[in-house]
Structure formats: C-alpha cells, structure tokens
Amino acid sequence: MGWKLELVETGRGTASRRIAVARLDEIVAPASVEDIGLNHGTAQRILGDIQRAVVALQEDALRAKADLRRRLDPTVRLKDYRLRRIESLHGTLTIRVPRLMRTGRVEPVPPLLAGSARSTAEYRLLLARLGAWMSFRAAAGLVEELFPQASGGCADTVRRRIFDEAERISARPPAEARAEAPAQSIDLG
C-alpha cells in the first residue's frame, strides 16, 4: 500500500480538477529517529513534483489567456508555442508559452510571458549571495548539496550571478536603494 499526493481544485463550480503530483511508498513505523519524516532527497523530489504541477496549471492559464486575446482581437492569431526552460531551486521547469502574431499589421503582439530569464529570481539571488560569502566553487557545491534537483551549480555560474546582481543593484535609482543597517557587533575569531 502506498500514498499519493494530489492538488485538488477548490472553489467555483462543482467539478473540481485533480492532479496527481507524487507517490510515496508504504509508510511504516520508524525503527529509529533517523527514519522519522522524509529524507532530504525525497522532500526535494516532492517539492519539484509540486512545482511542475503548478507550472502545468500556469501553462493552461497562459493558453486560456492567448485564446481570450484571439477572441477579442480578430487580427491576432497563434503563431506557435515556444518551449522555455527555467532553472529553479527545485529542478528545471519546462513551459510551453503560446506566441501570438498579428495578421496584416507590422505592430507586434505583447508577449504573454514577460522576461527572458533562464532561471528564477530566487535561484539567481541565492547563487549570488552564497558566492559573495564563500568561494564560487564552495557556493556551487553547497547549492548542489542542499538542492539536488537544481542544476547549473558551477563556479562560473555563481560568479556571473554575483556580477548580474551587482549590476541590478547599481541600476536602481538612489531613492529605491536602501541603506543596510549597521552591524551591532563583529566577531573576528
């Protein structure tokens, strides 16, 4: 006997959608303290499975948004679907984004999914912070250890993330940039 984890739609209407997310083997009485709960690898795998299910729902919402735009504007038609691969802390996400085009006009249709990043902001920021605190290689190794589903954890990626984050911070207007609070104490030993 095993267990399965599902996302169940709640709210409007009577028909609710169910998406099977993950399966667990039989859950038995633990033999020791080490056997209590989920191990790190299983927890990361389940988080990745949940994230992929959410991305599938977001893909459906993008498709519905594209259909709505086509119904509202008869000059808009579906060009194709662009496959986007986005690195996250819980694995690589793949999403098919509908691309729209106008017939008979030169002006483009605004994209349904803004941005061109190949990774989530959370992933980029964590790599930049860890890379600022330790060597690039150690930061990449720590991300690989803590988030086994994440990929791209090499020293060069960490270095690029630090420079990208520094550039993003320096591009902010002075009013937006907040001053860091002074340290209360510093331990040197």
Side-chain angles (χ1 to χ4, degrees), residues 40-59:
H40 184 70
T42 303
Q44 288 294 315
R45 181 183 55 80
I46 289 173
L47 279 173
D49 291 343
I50 292 171
Q51 188 160 351
R52 280 184 285 284
V54 169
V55 168
L57 291 170
Q58 290 172 328
E59 189 175 293

Side-chain angles (χ1 to χ4, degrees), residues 95-108:
I95 186 167
R96 290 181 52 212
V97 180
R99 291 197 303 175
L100 302 173
M101 65 180 290
R102 269 188 220 286
T103 56
R105 291 190 201 161
V106 178
E107 64 197 47

Side-chain angles (χ1 to χ4, degrees), residues 40-45 89-91 142-151:
H40 184 70
T42 303
Q44 288 294 315
R45 181 183 55 80
L89 292 174
H90 305 295
L142 183 61
V143 166
E144 187 176 338
E145 183 71 28
L146 292 177
F147 302 100
Q149 301 293 320
S151 63

Side-chain angles (χ1 to χ4, degrees), residues 42-108:
T42 303
Q44 288 294 315
R45 181 183 55 80
I46 289 173
L47 279 173
D49 291 343
I50 292 171
Q51 188 160 351
R52 280 184 285 284
V54 169
V55 168
L57 291 170
Q58 290 172 328
E59 189 175 293
D60 289 345
L62 281 172
R63 195 173 301 115
K65 189 176 177 180
D67 290 342
L68 177 64
R69 278 196 189 172
R70 289 183 7 223
R71 281 195 305 271
L72 294 176
D73 186 350
T75 64
V76 173
R77 70 177 185 89
L78 180 66
K79 178 180 179 182
D80 60 11
Y81 286 91
R82 179 175 181 215
L83 190 65
R84 300 274 308 265
R85 298 176 66 84
I86 302 165
E87 299 296 329
S88 79
L89 292 174
H90 305 295
T92 302
L93 306 173
T94 305
I95 186 167
R96 290 181 52 212
V97 180
R99 291 197 303 175
L100 302 173
M101 65 180 290
R102 269 188 220 286
T103 56
R105 291 190 201 161
V106 178
E107 64 197 47

Side-chain angles (χ1 to χ4, degrees), residues 5-11 16-19 21 57:
L5 181 64
E6 289 185 328
L7 288 180
V8 180
E9 183 179 31
T10 61
S16 64
R17 293 186 293 175
R18 300 175 90 81
I19 299 174
V21 174
L57 291 170

